[in-house]
Amino acid sequence: MKKMNIVLIALLISISAFSQQRTKSIFGWHLAKDAPTALNEVKLNLGTTIFGLFPEVSYERILSEDFSLGASAGINLNSEDYPLNFAFTPHARWFFGGNSKSLEKYGSGFFIEANGSLFSTKHAKETISAENSTITHNNGEGFGAGLGLGLGWKYLSKNNWVGEIMFGGGRDFVNESAYPRMGISIGKRF
């Protein structure tokens, strides 16, 4: 009986000793115990909003110090210059590099982005083949879907304001063309 009591006491002591070292867990990703509580971001792409009349809003969730998932949605406000009518682009970002200050902050610094996009284009090409001839013409609008890559840099201030510059693009597998992915964004982490 004494051996059983000693084993139980040792087990209770070890459980209480290691309970202080727990980490935050988000979808299986473990954050350090000093991880920030603000892990969500909402941003507005100023570049496409001002110059392209294509307001694009993004949401991003920080999953670890160097990985995040998010999505962007934009709609054309009757601009003839911007090639897209609507776009929904989910993305995953891997952060690395930056200066010593940005390395201390979660989800900031230089990043590489993998994205997929569903969008509506203005000038989709349609090809019709006959026996000996091929006719190609623009039908005005079309739907596209593709995958792409992007590069960028994100700055996070002490007050959780976010500034971001990114560029990239992707391949449209439906229309065998490409789609743009670029912008200068500003937002808030909460």
Side-chain angles (χ1 to χ4, degrees):
M1 189 68 170
K2 284 186 174 184
K3 288 183 182 182
M4 181 70 134
N5 288 338
I6 292 173
V7 170
L8 285 174
I9 290 172
L11 182 63
L12 290 174
I13 290 173
S14 66
I15 289 173
S16 66
F18 290 113
S19 68
Q20 302 299 321
Q21 297 179 359
R22 290 186 183 170
T23 59
K24 297 177 186 178
S25 178
I26 302 171
F27 302 117
W29 296 81
H30 295 286
L31 301 175
K33 64 182 177 181
D34 60 343
T37 57
L39 297 173
N40 300 301
E41 291 180 8
V42 175
K43 298 175 288 219
L44 176 66
N45 188 339
L46 297 176
T48 59
T49 302
I50 295 171
F51 299 113
L53 290 175
F54 187 80
E56 183 179 46
V57 177
S58 298
Y59 169 79
E60 191 170 347
R61 174 73 177 178
I62 309 300
L63 296 180
S64 71
E65 62 265 358
D66 62 351
F67 189 77
S68 69
L69 292 176
S72 301
I75 189 164
N76 195 330
L77 296 178
N78 202 13
S79 171
E80 298 296 324
D81 297 330
Y82 205 76
L84 301 177
N85 289 328
F86 171 80
F88 175 72
T89 309
H91 55 79
R93 290 182 174 170
W94 176 46
F95 294 90
F96 59 96
N99 59 25
S100 61
K101 294 271 187 200
S102 68
L103 288 173
E104 296 171 2
K105 300 175 184 177
Y106 279 52
S108 64
F110 183 73
F111 64 85
I112 294 177
E113 173 187 282
N115 61 61
S117 189
L118 300 172
F119 52 90
S120 169
T121 61
K122 286 190 175 187
H123 303 290
K125 293 182 179 178
E126 183 177 311
T127 304
I128 301 170
S129 298
E131 291 179 17
N132 293 329
S133 65
T134 301
I135 300 170
T136 302
H137 68 287
N138 290 335
N139 62 355
E141 292 188 12
F143 178 77
L147 297 173
L149 294 173
L151 297 172
W153 186 78
K154 184 191 292 185
Y155 175 75
L156 176 65
S157 73
K158 292 179 184 178
N159 296 330
N160 286 338
W161 285 97
V162 176
E164 175 181 296
I165 298 172
M166 70 141 335
F167 65 94
R171 177 151 187 244
D172 178 7
F173 294 114
V174 176
N175 300 311
E176 295 188 16
S177 63
Y179 64 90
R181 179 87 173 118
M182 62 186 80
I184 300 170
S185 301
I186 190 166
K188 182 78 172 165
R189 185 176 287 186
F190 58 96

